Amino acid sequence: MPDTQSINSVLNTYGLSGLAGGGGGINVGYWVANILFGIIGWCAFSYGRKEKNYRPVVIGLVLMVYPYFITNTILTFAVGFALTAALYFWRE
């Protein structure tokens, strides 16, 4: 198995320094939250468009867009859970 130094040297070759290990690397939890809440948002948006209901459309759009503005993993999950709960409880 390659070590972190060799992986970083390959990444540096392509201008992607700092992605494998060390400070400022990839945060897996953050990307899991982005993908999870993006899928939930896409489903809510599609459902709202089909049913012509603005509430799921708006919450779905926010669920798909907000991770681009929040970089903290815990805050990303907190906002995503809150919006998903709003999607569930704020229905007709």
Side-chain angles (χ1 to χ4, degrees):
M1 179 152 189
D3 61 346
T4 304
Q5 185 178 7
S6 63
I7 293 173
N8 277 332
S9 67
V10 170
L11 291 173
N12 285 335
T13 304
Y14 296 103
L16 302 170
S17 62
L19 290 180
I26 295 174
N27 187 343
V28 176
Y30 175 73
W31 287 106
V32 167
N34 286 350
I35 293 169
L36 174 69
F37 295 118
I39 290 170
I40 292 171
W42 179 74
C43 292
F45 178 78
S46 298
Y47 172 78
R49 282 189 56 200
K50 186 171 94 174
E51 296 295 321
K52 299 193 184 344
N53 188 354
Y54 74 93
R55 291 176 185 166
V57 169
V58 171
I59 295 175
L61 281 173
V62 173
L63 275 167
M64 289 187 286
V65 171
Y66 88 91
Y68 292 105
F69 301 104
I70 300 175
T71 58
N72 185 325
T73 303
I74 294 172
L75 189 57
T76 303
F77 273 104
V79 171
F81 285 135
L83 288 170
T84 303
L87 183 64
Y88 178 77
F89 290 113
W90 190 33
R91 56 186 173 165
E92 296 179 272

